[in-house]
Amino acid sequence: GAKAKIFKAAVQTAIDYSKALENGGTVVMPAHDIGDWGRNALILDSTGALISMWQPNQLEGYDFTG
């Protein structure tokens, strides 16, 4: 099947973390620094969808079209 990766930009990863946990989510990979680019965390939501959260520092992200 098709796989999609969606990156959610988070102003504060810890806030999004608690909301996910409150709603039945599971932490797959705790928030951690990726150099000075930013912070990343992986959460499995209550439906089984994998969510990657990104808190930018030096790397804000990418724009996609199409």
Side-chain angles (χ1 to χ4, degrees), residues 14-62:
I15 291 173
D16 287 346
Y17 231 85
S18 62
K19 293 284 187 192
L21 296 177
E22 287 172 14
N23 290 289
T26 305
V27 176
V28 175
M29 184 180 349
H32 61 283
D33 291 325
I34 299 181
D36 60 356
W37 290 357
R39 291 179 61 74
N40 179 250
L42 294 176
I43 304 249
L44 198 61
D45 79 4
S46 60
T47 68
L50 185 63
I51 301 168
S52 177
M53 295 190 291
W54 179 253
Q55 182 178 16
N57 186 11
Q58 298 294 322
L59 178 65
E60 291 193 24
Y62 300 96

